Amino acid sequence: MNRENRLRKLRHEMKAKGLEAVFVQSPENRYYLSGFRGSSGALLITETDALLYTDFRYLDQAAEEAPLFEVVNHQQNLMTMICTRLQDETLRHVGIELDKLPTAQYLAFNRLAPTLELSNVEPILDRIRMYKDAEEIAYLRQGIAMCDQAFAHILSYIKPGITEKEIGLELEFFMRKLGAEGIKANHVIASGERSSLPHGQATDRVIRVGDFVKMDIGARVMGYYSDFTRTVVVGQPSAKQLEIYQIVKEAQEAALAAIGPGKVCSEVDEVARSIIRAAGYGDCFGHSLGHSIGLAVHEKPTMRHNDQTVLEPGMVITVEPGIYIKGFGGVRIEDLVVITADGYDNLTTATKELQVIPV
Ligand code: ZN
């Protein structure tokens, strides 16, 4: 397992920042560091100790899933036990997940241990999580393979008369049958003029001849999300549909060609954006080119104008330009790639040629 490595990296950063302990309770960071997948628990990590506090329901599971951690039954007294331990060991400077910590726990720290100095540990954890190891990449690859297969399947399912919700359900059912443990929460199934909504959720809208159908889907495998978007057209495309599809495809392929180790996120974003801008649709591409992904759908770095992160091997990013025209429709094409030592590995294999659903 790679979790010894993750703990080593965290302790290294703790030392550099003068953090004497780190308190982790978000499900994804808890799982990332310990392996524990129960719904309730918290980690306390110091230079020498790794403790997993959970309750009676999860004691056996925690011991099995988190062998690097000493499992403690908190008996519904989590914050009292944590604060007592910190004070007994005179640990003052504690890292917490400032964005994710429930307010009640933050207030409990202040009430039970007012002398603690609390700092945000999330930037440290975000940075460690940026670099995916072989096991994580294998889960992402499995998830994208499910998306690829679901897309191939849905091409013969889409037809005029069915609804966006039916398409969404069929995609989910298909991926679950392939072994996905879940799907990403914001599946986008948006058709016709609704396809101009970048994150339009499936509705009862009925598919008609001439519609774009934009599908942004993701399977979850061992906690890891994948992200995949393709846009198809029902019946023969109009000249304008062909035009904007070609521009998005060109922008997406140019961005991929510009990706690799040493490349800067903002510069790759600009490669795609400048193509869309030059074609006259700059105002119709209002989101970033992409993002990293893993235990959360959106992780760091982000492929946008103000993110100067330099891409390095092991980082994974989505490449997903789009053009969205209100009242007309929209197109997005999204691949998921892993940065390698000499370029990138595109996990997504589905065709990017515009798929025309026969009617
Ligand atoms: Zn995405």
Side-chain angles (χ1 to χ4, degrees), residues 34-298:
S34 74
F36 176 56
R37 296 200 74 190
S39 68
S40 175
L43 310 179
L44 187 67
I45 297 161
T46 68
E47 196 185 344
T48 52
D49 295 328
L51 303 155
L52 195 174
Y53 292 80
T54 188
D55 62 71
F56 175 78
R57 297 170 298 168
Y58 292 115
L59 296 177
D60 291 343
Q61 181 184 338
E64 190 178 321
E65 291 179 339
L68 301 176
F69 283 71
E70 178 189 332
V71 177
V72 182
N73 184 350
H74 65 60
Q75 299 168 336
Q76 314 310 324
N77 242 338
L78 175 67
M79 295 312 291
T80 305
M81 287 178 80
I82 294 282
C83 289
T84 302
R85 177 142 193 150
L86 290 170
Q87 285 169 327
D88 285 352
E89 297 193 19
T90 60
L91 300 173
R92 281 270 163 73
H93 193 186
V94 179
I96 56 169
E97 299 164 286
L98 201 58
D99 284 337
K100 302 186 179 87
L101 191 74
T103 309
Q105 290 188 348
Y106 183 79
L107 293 175
F109 272 124
N110 283 335
R111 188 176 72 247
L112 298 169
T115 56
L116 291 183
E117 186 189 339
L118 302 175
S119 296
N120 190 10
V121 74
E122 286 189 57
I124 293 174
L125 291 170
D126 287 349
R127 182 91 202 156
I128 297 172
R129 277 171 54 183
M130 272 190 194
Y131 303 89
K132 268 63 179 180
D133 58 39
E135 183 185 333
E136 295 179 286
I137 291 168
Y139 297 146
L140 293 167
R141 196 183 291 276
Q142 283 176 41
I144 280 290
M146 290 171 188
C147 296
D148 276 332
Q149 290 181 65
F151 177 67
H153 166 72
I154 210 69
L155 292 176
S156 60
Y157 179 87
I158 297 173
K159 58 177 185 291
I162 64 170
T163 66
E164 293 173 348
K165 278 184 182 168
E166 287 174 300
I167 295 171
L169 280 171
E170 182 68 17
L171 284 164
E172 176 171 355
F173 188 61
F174 192 86
M175 291 194 293
R176 297 291 292 252
K177 276 197 291 186
L178 288 175
E181 65 185 10
I183 59 164
K184 70 175 180 136
N186 54 347
H187 259 191
V188 169
I189 312 292
S191 64
E193 65 288 342
R194 290 193 74 250
S195 58
S196 72
L197 302 172
H199 268 196
Q201 315 277 297
T203 67
D204 291 320
R205 185 185 181 282
V206 174
I207 305 300
R208 297 195 291 261
V209 176
D211 281 352
F212 268 142
V213 181
K214 188 179 74 223
M215 295 166 284
D216 181 344
I217 61 177
R220 201 178 71 230
V221 175
M222 287 301 287
Y224 286 79
Y225 287 96
S226 50
D227 207 359
F228 171 104
T229 308
R230 287 292 184 271
T231 308
V232 302
V233 65
V234 181
Q236 285 308 308
S238 68
K240 184 157 184 179
Q241 284 176 322
L242 275 179
E243 181 207 352
I244 67 168
Y245 192 91
Q246 279 310 121
I247 297 164
V248 172
K249 181 166 169 280
E250 191 189 326
Q252 208 265 354
E253 287 169 345
L256 286 174
I259 278 179
K263 301 296 176 67
V264 180
C265 289
S266 61
E267 291 170 7
V268 181
D269 175 90
E270 181 55 23
V271 168
R273 199 165 300 280
S274 62
I275 289 172
I276 291 173
R277 197 187 299 124
Y281 293 103
D283 292 341
C284 303
F285 176 27
H287 59 71
S288 53
L289 176 66
H291 53 89
S292 189
I293 189 166
L295 294 169
V297 174
H298 295 108

Side-chain angles (χ1 to χ4, degrees), residues 315-330:
M315 291 182 178
V316 298
I317 47 167
T318 69
V319 180
E320 48 178 312
I323 292 178
Y324 312 93
I325 303 169
K326 194 165 188 247
F328 175 76

